[in-house]
Amino acid sequence: MNKFLLSLLPLCVLCTLHAPAQSVGWSHSVESTGEGTYRIILEAAIADGYHMYDMGPYTDGPHATLIRFIPGEGAELDGPVEQLTTPHRYFDKTFDMEIGTFEHSARFAQRVRLTAPQATLRADITWMLCNDTSCLPPDDAELGITVPASAEATLSPAREAEANTVATNSSLWGLIVEAILWGFAALLTPCVFPMVPMTVSYFLKGEGGPARGRLRAALYGLFIVLLYTVPIAIIILLTRVLGGEAVTADIFNWLATHWLPNVVFFLVFMIFAASFFGAFELTMPSWMVNKADAKADTKGLGGIFFLALVLVLVSFSCTGPIVGSVLIKSTAGEFWNPIVTMLAFSVAFALPFTLFALFPSILEKLPRNGGWLNSVKVVLGFVEVALGFKFLSVADQTYHWELLDREIYLAVWIVTFSLLGLYLLGKLRFAHDSEVTHIGVGRLALAIVVFSFVVYMVPGMWGAPLKGLSGYLPPLATQDFILGETSVTPDRQAPATKVKYGDFLRLPHGLEGFFDLQEAEAYAARVDKPLFIDFTGHGCVNCREMEARVWSDPEVLAILRNDYVICALYSDDKKVLPEADWVTTDTGKILKSLGKINAYYARTRYGANAQPCYILQGRNGQVLVPPRGYDLDVQGFVDFLKSGLKAYQQQR
């Protein structure tokens, strides 16, 4: 017996030398299917030259792949495990039966229903690999999966990173604050401000005394909020109900990245700005205003409602551009963003009417109507011009028109705000402006702020990073000239090797890398380095801010340049690829553009649904550490990169 075991030793050594370092790499993702149900997708990356058997089952046959989910508290399995990948089926003479096998990769799915906000499941997986001459011993793996996906779940690519959620919430709070400021700004416009004392006086002098007047004023404010918020909510909810969550997301994605809505939004901003400058006045049809005004004379809740409707209609010429600005910016976000931001705007807009009714003495301290109201309107017009160019910039970047490079964009902003500063100093006047014989302290202070902002932007014409504006400016890679550099900037230097899509995509700060995931993975395996995957977008404000404020740190740049292979995947790029690069989804849909393909990879392979999302990937597609999203903590990003390097070394 001992001689027999010794005779097997060379064979065992030979098998060990020819066995892959890690037979199968497993990853998972989590997809919401609505109403508290989710689908967990497992993906197996199979070593080249080997095949893995399907789920069978087989009696006296090969070792079938066995996947068993053990739900934790708050989770229930909804049906059996499904094979998403169709196996190659053939009659095997050795086993005398028909079997199925997978090569390169295989995907499986398990539906789960939650009875709690979050639950953790365990997936026990057993499989066996074979090649044309021999088989490896059965192997097994255990995955911990959190549903909904979170950064703490496992080190699998399938988690929805907590940082992405933080970034989304941060963006939403930014939109809310901006909407509130616009709401208060609308109050100062000449269409709205004169109506404050008139409407408040109307309620205080009504029947039932001051107490009843205050109640009616509060209802008046509530109706204003509803008139601004309910219509947009109904439109969005109808889209969701009739078309489903995917259709709603597609609509918002189309609004955020397609050239047509972005160019339309740009033109709308320019038209609104011209209206603020006094070129013409945007008003609602007179028949609509007159009809609502007639209804406002009635008593009761109906009269209050129509009085609020009159305010909304009459003030449209001033609030219309502002409402349009709020909605256009928020449609680039998630499903609830337009509703929440419009609610924030309308509450800020309606709040003074209620407060002035509760405390009428405040009315006596308000400044009287005058030319200052038109000045507020003109100032808002300049702001509309500056903000409008952001939409044209998004279209320019996603479609690679190269019309609005960084220096041109900066030139427009510098001129716009310089003219605003001159206007505040009384050196520039419009048709409806009163003559400025002297300026007050407040107007002078605002002029100082504006001109300081202009001075801050000027060095950007020669390549200064302007980190405070990085989220709103085109990437530095579009700059034609940087002071102190040669005619070819670091961002435009040719990479050491020609990379796919490198003719129209660039990395910031002179970094070299890839823009195709498969090409990057192959190169990373060849040079034995971990992969830094950057899910980004041309229209992603947070992405540009991360690149300007975090990536620019010398330590971060050194690690990215020396220790990682970088792969930037743009999820909103509209470049239509050659047919050979098209991707067919599980549902049979053919993805033709670079952005849609990258977004599909982000969602299905890594569970990423926000930008930016940074993935550190090691061998066999294994994610090394939890992904990271928008976070301006430089040291935290350094630690993130170093932890990925440490995990990669442990894979050896």
Side-chain angles (χ1 to χ4, degrees), residues 283-295 309-310 313:
T283 58
M284 297 295 287
S286 57
W287 65 267
M288 188 181 296
V289 178
N290 294 335
K291 191 170 184 179
D293 190 41
K295 293 283 187 180
L309 182 59
V310 169
L313 297 178

Side-chain angles (χ1 to χ4, degrees), residues 73 141 211 494 518 605:
E73 185 176 353
Q518 285 72 31
R605 289 191 56 174

Side-chain angles (χ1 to χ4, degrees), residues 23-24 26 42-56 58 62-67 81-90 99-109 125-132:
S23 57
V24 175
W26 289 91
L42 300 180
E43 183 166 357
I46 304 169
D48 291 338
Y50 284 81
H51 60 261
M52 183 177 76
Y53 295 101
D54 66 356
M55 297 182 67
Y58 302 113
H63 192 292
T65 298
L66 176 64
I67 301 177
V81 178
E82 307 169 58
Q83 288 186 161
L84 299 182
T85 303
T86 302
H88 169 60
R89 304 201 67 83
Y90 63 95
I99 62 174
T101 61
F102 301 110
E103 294 183 358
H104 305 300
S105 65
R107 300 175 77 239
F108 310 86
I125 312 170
T126 306
W127 69 93
M128 185 171 72
L129 287 186
C130 297
N131 58 21
D132 295 335

